Amino acid sequence: MQITIVPASTRVAAATIRHLLSSPSPPSIVGYYRDLARVPEEFQTSPNFTAKKGDIEDASSLDFSGSDAVLSITPMWYDGRDIVDVAKEVSWNVRNKIEETGGKGQIKRLVVLSSFGGQYTEGIGAILTNHVAEEILGGTNNIGEVVCVRPVYFMENWITAVDTIKAENYFFSTFTPSSFKLPHIAVKDIGETLAKELLSATPYPINGSSKPPVHPLEIHGPNYSTDDVQKIFEEVTGKNEIEVREIPKEGVQGFYEMVGLPPNVAEAFAEMNNSVLKGGMLNVNPEPTKDVRHVGKTELGELVREWWEKA
């Protein structure tokens, strides 16, 4: 079995590759990197892994021939370009190259890393890049089926708190009020789910008339509030009364610009952030994903301890 991952340089891609390589019968894995210097040494030494130079923005550099399953990840761009336009471009690159490969049915499953809220067309900010990826890749011809994996909030987003807590005993939070709870999931648990979906030989039941069949899958882990995060950092660090500097909804875009995001990305991230708060699109969630699985085994405290020990 051959599994191709594009791009393979992201944290989630690396976690997926680790799970694939540790499976009882590891498949052959092809990972595309814009810069081969970014290939982790642990993968370079595996006989089941092949790194290839390729860029998701350059369709001519990609080749999916021989693949039984493909994982497509839509990156974020911070260079000032319209993030939705670029997401459309790279999604079409992947779709067109897959459709060029061999006969019908060669690729049994295309797994698309999307996001909680990927089913919506407005009010979701940066998640709109995932929505357009779902729409474009969900129409790919000559494959068996498409699985759109929609994880919730990444635990790893809290790693930025380590530096400010270490230096001045505070951290920022854009989730208000501080008691507001949000489902989280760790990157390694996302990677485990993606690996299982790529390896699965059992198709999902056909629901509707879409061609190919498209199956959305939402994955969750534990719920945490800012108050919970504060308590976890205090327990791990031994520091007392860590200050939380809350960013109100109306100040989120300005905050993201302050930390260095381009204005268009800051705006998109602010709308995404506020979409999960009271009254936001993802808080209301009028058309929820039907297949929701609580697969997150990792607790935030485990990660905070790792981060703090390495800081």
Side-chain angles (χ1 to χ4, degrees):
M1 181 182 192
Q2 177 180 310
I3 293 172
T4 302
I5 299 176
V6 57
S9 55
T10 69
R11 292 178 301 171
V12 172
T16 304
I17 294 166
R18 289 189 187 99
H19 281 287
L20 290 171
L21 291 176
S22 65
S23 61
S25 298
S28 296
I29 305 165
V30 174
Y32 276 98
Y33 295 80
R34 180 183 296 175
D35 180 1
L36 290 176
R38 296 187 62 183
V39 181
E41 186 175 352
E42 61 182 300
F43 301 159
Q44 296 178 36
T45 57
S46 171
N48 291 83
F49 183 79
T50 301
K52 291 188 177 181
K53 187 174 179 61
D55 187 346
I56 197 170
E57 294 189 61
D58 177 9
S60 67
S61 69
L62 306 177
D63 181 6
F64 296 104
S65 59
S67 302
D68 297 286
V70 173
L71 171 60
S72 180
I73 298 175
T74 308
M76 183 55 59
W77 289 267
Y78 300 93
D79 56 7
R81 287 181 293 171
D82 186 299
I83 58 176
V84 175
D85 285 347
V86 185
K88 290 178 181 178
E89 176 189 339
V90 299
S91 297
W92 275 111
N93 285 346
V94 173
R95 174 172 169 171
N96 289 337
K97 293 301 291 188
I98 287 176
E99 291 179 344
E100 288 178 10
T101 60
K104 184 177 181 180
Q106 177 185 340
I107 296 176
K108 304 297 189 297
R109 178 173 287 186
L110 167 60
V111 178
V112 180
L113 177 62
S114 183
S115 170
F116 172 52
Q119 65 269 44
Y120 298 117
T121 61
E122 60 183 1
I124 54 174
I127 297 172
L128 192 56
T129 61
N130 301 114
H131 173 77
V132 299
E134 286 194 16
E135 288 291 300
I136 293 168
L137 293 169
T140 306
N141 298 301
N142 298 341
I143 58 173
E145 63 183 341
V146 178
V147 180
C148 298
V149 179
R150 299 170 174 169
V152 289
Y153 190 73
F154 285 28
M155 288 185 185
E156 284 75 6
N157 290 335
W158 291 108
I159 196 171
T160 57
V162 172
D163 289 341
T164 55
I165 291 173
K166 206 169 190 69
E168 299 185 51
N169 208 38
Y170 76 87
F171 69 96
F172 293 107
S173 175
T174 57
F175 296 125
T176 55
S178 62
S179 59
F180 170 75
K181 286 186 179 287
L182 181 71
H184 288 59
I185 192 165
V187 164
K188 59 184 175 183
D189 292 334
I190 299 171
E192 181 176 7
T193 298
L194 293 173
K196 288 178 178 178
E197 291 299 317
L198 290 162
L199 290 169
S200 176
T202 305
Y204 282 102
I206 296 177
N207 182 18
S209 59
S210 64
K211 296 181 182 180
V214 178
H215 185 82
L217 165 61
E218 189 173 297
I219 54 175
H220 286 221
N223 291 333
Y224 296 104
S225 66
T226 299
D227 290 337
D228 295 327
V229 175
Q230 178 190 37
K231 182 178 179 181
I232 289 168
F233 270 102
E234 288 178 343
E235 290 175 349
V236 169
T237 65
K239 289 176 173 283
N240 296 320
E241 299 181 354
I242 293 176
E243 178 190 357
V244 178
R245 297 186 181 178
E246 296 184 12
I247 309 298
K249 288 174 68 172
E250 62 275 11
V252 173
Q253 181 175 341
F255 170 73
Y256 285 140
E257 290 182 8
M258 181 195 73
V259 299
L261 294 182
N264 68 314
V265 178
E267 181 181 6
F269 274 35
E271 184 175 69
M272 175 176 64
N273 180 92
N274 294 344
S275 71
V276 302
L277 304 180
K278 185 176 180 180
M281 174 61 81
L282 302 188
N283 186 273
V284 177
N285 200 17
E287 298 177 11
T289 305
K290 293 180 180 179
D291 188 355
V292 177
R293 302 182 198 173
H294 293 264
V295 300
K297 297 175 288 187
T298 306
E299 297 285 342
L300 181 58
E302 300 173 42
L303 296 183
V304 171
R305 192 168 300 280
E306 290 178 16
W307 303 337
W308 194 255
E309 290 174 353
K310 293 177 181 178

PDB file of all heavy atoms in Angstrom, residues 132-147:
ATOM      1  N   VAL A 132     -13.423  25.659   1.178  1.00  0.00           N
ATOM      2  CA  VAL A 132     -13.227  25.585  -0.278  1.00  0.00           C
ATOM      3  C   VAL A 132     -12.432  24.327  -0.641  1.00  0.00           C
ATOM      4  O   VAL A 132     -12.652  23.737  -1.710  1.00  0.00           O
ATOM      5  CB  VAL A 132     -12.561  26.857  -0.844  1.00  0.00           C
ATOM      6  CG1 VAL A 132     -13.428  28.075  -0.588  1.00  0.00           C
ATOM      7  CG2 VAL A 132     -11.156  27.070  -0.300  1.00  0.00           C
ATOM      8  N   ALA A 133     -11.525  23.892   0.244  1.00  0.00           N
ATOM      9  CA  ALA A 133     -10.796  22.643  -0.009  1.00  0.00           C
ATOM     10  C   ALA A 133     -11.755  21.460  -0.017  1.00  0.00           C
ATOM     11  O   ALA A 133     -11.669  20.571  -0.874  1.00  0.00           O
ATOM     12  CB  ALA A 133      -9.705  22.451   1.039  1.00  0.00           C
ATOM     13  N   GLU A 134     -12.686  21.444   0.942  1.00  0.00           N
ATOM     14  CA  GLU A 134     -13.688  20.375   0.968  1.00  0.00           C
ATOM     15  C   GLU A 134     -14.522  20.367  -0.308  1.00  0.00           C
ATOM     16  O   GLU A 134     -14.798  19.313  -0.891  1.00  0.00           O
ATOM     17  CB  GLU A 134     -14.616  20.532   2.178  1.00  0.00           C
ATOM     18  CG  GLU A 134     -14.011  20.169   3.503  1.00  0.00           C
ATOM     19  CD  GLU A 134     -15.069  20.012   4.595  1.00  0.00           C
ATOM     20  OE1 GLU A 134     -16.262  19.890   4.251  1.00  0.00           O
ATOM     21  OE2 GLU A 134     -14.706  20.003   5.785  1.00  0.00           O
ATOM     22  N   GLU A 135     -14.953  21.558  -0.732  1.00  0.00           N
ATOM     23  CA  GLU A 135     -15.809  21.661  -1.909  1.00  0.00           C
ATOM     24  C   GLU A 135     -15.088  21.195  -3.177  1.00  0.00           C
ATOM     25  O   GLU A 135     -15.645  20.445  -3.980  1.00  0.00           O
ATOM     26  CB  GLU A 135     -16.281  23.112  -2.078  1.00  0.00           C
ATOM     27  CG  GLU A 135     -17.301  23.556  -1.047  1.00  0.00           C
ATOM     28  CD  GLU A 135     -18.634  22.854  -1.224  1.00  0.00           C
ATOM     29  OE1 GLU A 135     -19.245  22.998  -2.295  1.00  0.00           O
ATOM     30  OE2 GLU A 135     -19.044  22.128  -0.294  1.00  0.00           O
ATOM     31  N   ILE A 136     -13.848  21.637  -3.356  1.00  0.00           N
ATOM     32  CA  ILE A 136     -13.109  21.302  -4.578  1.00  0.00           C
ATOM     33  C   ILE A 136     -12.657  19.846  -4.561  1.00  0.00           C
ATOM     34  O   ILE A 136     -12.893  19.091  -5.510  1.00  0.00           O
ATOM     35  CB  ILE A 136     -11.912  22.255  -4.752  1.00  0.00           C
ATOM     36  CG1 ILE A 136     -12.416  23.677  -5.022  1.00  0.00           C
ATOM     37  CG2 ILE A 136     -10.992  21.778  -5.883  1.00  0.00           C
ATOM     38  CD1 ILE A 136     -11.344  24.744  -4.934  1.00  0.00           C
ATOM     39  N   LEU A 137     -12.024  19.428  -3.486  1.00  0.00           N
ATOM     40  CA  LEU A 137     -11.497  18.066  -3.428  1.00  0.00           C
ATOM     41  C   LEU A 137     -12.614  17.039  -3.298  1.00  0.00           C
ATOM     42  O   LEU A 137     -12.461  15.885  -3.712  1.00  0.00           O
ATOM     43  CB  LEU A 137     -10.507  17.944  -2.267  1.00  0.00           C
ATOM     44  CG  LEU A 137      -9.223  18.763  -2.453  1.00  0.00           C
ATOM     45  CD1 LEU A 137      -8.423  18.816  -1.157  1.00  0.00           C
ATOM     46  CD2 LEU A 137      -8.382  18.196  -3.578  1.00  0.00           C
ATOM     47  N   GLY A 138     -13.747  17.471  -2.736  1.00  0.00           N
ATOM     48  CA  GLY A 138     -14.883  16.560  -2.624  1.00  0.00           C
ATOM     49  C   GLY A 138     -15.472  16.175  -3.968  1.00  0.00           C
ATOM     50  O   GLY A 138     -16.244  15.220  -4.058  1.00  0.00           O
ATOM     51  N   GLY A 139     -15.119  16.900  -5.019  1.00  0.00           N
ATOM     52  CA  GLY A 139     -15.615  16.573  -6.351  1.00  0.00           C
ATOM     53  C   GLY A 139     -14.612  15.838  -7.214  1.00  0.00           C
ATOM     54  O   GLY A 139     -14.822  15.678  -8.425  1.00  0.00           O
ATOM     55  N   THR A 140     -13.511  15.390  -6.606  1.00  0.00           N
ATOM     56  CA  THR A 140     -12.451  14.730  -7.369  1.00  0.00           C
ATOM     57  C   THR A 140     -12.961  13.454  -8.041  1.00  0.00           C
ATOM     58  O   THR A 140     -13.597  12.607  -7.401  1.00  0.00           O
ATOM     59  CB  THR A 140     -11.262  14.379  -6.453  1.00  0.00           C
ATOM     60  OG1 THR A 140     -10.839  15.556  -5.763  1.00  0.00           O
ATOM     61  CG2 THR A 140     -10.096  13.825  -7.259  1.00  0.00           C
ATOM     62  N   ASN A 141     -12.685  13.299  -9.312  1.00  0.00           N
ATOM     63  CA  ASN A 141     -13.082  12.110 -10.065  1.00  0.00           C
ATOM     64  C   ASN A 141     -12.015  11.022  -9.977  1.00  0.00           C
ATOM     65  O   ASN A 141     -10.874  11.274  -9.596  1.00  0.00           O
ATOM     66  CB  ASN A 141     -13.317  12.476 -11.534  1.00  0.00           C
ATOM     67  CG  ASN A 141     -14.444  13.468 -11.700  1.00  0.00           C
ATOM     68  OD1 ASN A 141     -15.583  13.204 -11.306  1.00  0.00           O
ATOM     69  ND2 ASN A 141     -14.144  14.624 -12.278  1.00  0.00           N
ATOM     70  N   ASN A 142     -12.400   9.813 -10.349  1.00  0.00           N
ATOM     71  CA  ASN A 142     -11.491   8.665 -10.442  1.00  0.00           C
ATOM     72  C   ASN A 142     -10.912   8.224  -9.100  1.00  0.00           C
ATOM     73  O   ASN A 142      -9.796   7.710  -9.038  1.00  0.00           O
ATOM     74  CB  ASN A 142     -10.339   8.950 -11.418  1.00  0.00           C
ATOM     75  CG  ASN A 142     -10.816   9.188 -12.826  1.00  0.00           C
ATOM     76  OD1 ASN A 142     -11.939   8.822 -13.179  1.00  0.00           O
ATOM     77  ND2 ASN A 142      -9.983   9.824 -13.636  1.00  0.00           N
ATOM     78  N   ILE A 143     -11.664   8.441  -8.015  1.00  0.00           N
ATOM     79  CA  ILE A 143     -11.245   7.924  -6.704  1.00  0.00           C
ATOM     80  C   ILE A 143     -12.443   7.245  -6.043  1.00  0.00           C
ATOM     81  O   ILE A 143     -13.598   7.440  -6.442  1.00  0.00           O
ATOM     82  CB  ILE A 143     -10.699   9.027  -5.773  1.00  0.00           C
ATOM     83  CG1 ILE A 143     -11.744  10.124  -5.557  1.00  0.00           C
ATOM     84  CG2 ILE A 143      -9.414   9.603  -6.313  1.00  0.00           C
ATOM     85  CD1 ILE A 143     -11.317  11.143  -4.517  1.00  0.00           C
ATOM     86  N   GLY A 144     -12.151   6.452  -5.011  1.00  0.00           N
ATOM     87  CA  GLY A 144     -13.218   5.715  -4.348  1.00  0.00           C
ATOM     88  C   GLY A 144     -14.109   6.582  -3.481  1.00  0.00           C
ATOM     89  O   GLY A 144     -15.331   6.569  -3.598  1.00  0.00           O
ATOM     90  N   GLU A 145     -13.489   7.361  -2.578  1.00  0.00           N
ATOM     91  CA  GLU A 145     -14.264   8.196  -1.668  1.00  0.00           C
ATOM     92  C   GLU A 145     -13.375   9.291  -1.082  1.00  0.00           C
ATOM     93  O   GLU A 145     -12.145   9.232  -1.154  1.00  0.00           O
ATOM     94  CB  GLU A 145     -14.881   7.368  -0.542  1.00  0.00           C
ATOM     95  CG  GLU A 145     -13.866   6.697   0.363  1.00  0.00           C
ATOM     96  CD  GLU A 145     -14.506   5.824   1.431  1.00  0.00           C
ATOM     97  OE1 GLU A 145     -15.704   6.002   1.710  1.00  0.00           O
ATOM     98  OE2 GLU A 145     -13.801   4.964   1.993  1.00  0.00           O
ATOM     99  N   VAL A 146     -14.033  10.298  -0.497  1.00  0.00           N
ATOM    100  CA  VAL A 146     -13.342  11.414   0.139  1.00  0.00           C
ATOM    101  C   VAL A 146     -13.794  11.476   1.599  1.00  0.00           C
ATOM    102  O   VAL A 146     -14.989  11.403   1.888  1.00  0.00           O
ATOM    103  CB  VAL A 146     -13.666  12.746  -0.560  1.00  0.00           C
ATOM    104  CG1 VAL A 146     -12.969  13.909   0.153  1.00  0.00           C
ATOM    105  CG2 VAL A 146     -13.259  12.697  -2.024  1.00  0.00           C
ATOM    106  N   VAL A 147     -12.820  11.601   2.511  1.00  0.00           N
ATOM    107  CA  VAL A 147     -13.125  11.771   3.931  1.00  0.00           C
ATOM    108  C   VAL A 147     -12.579  13.122   4.370  1.00  0.00           C
ATOM    109  O   VAL A 147     -11.380  13.387   4.241  1.00  0.00           O
ATOM    110  CB  VAL A 147     -12.495  10.648   4.791  1.00  0.00           C
ATOM    111  CG1 VAL A 147     -12.830  10.856   6.262  1.00  0.00           C
ATOM    112  CG2 VAL A 147     -12.968   9.282   4.312  1.00  0.00           C
TER     113      VAL A 147
END
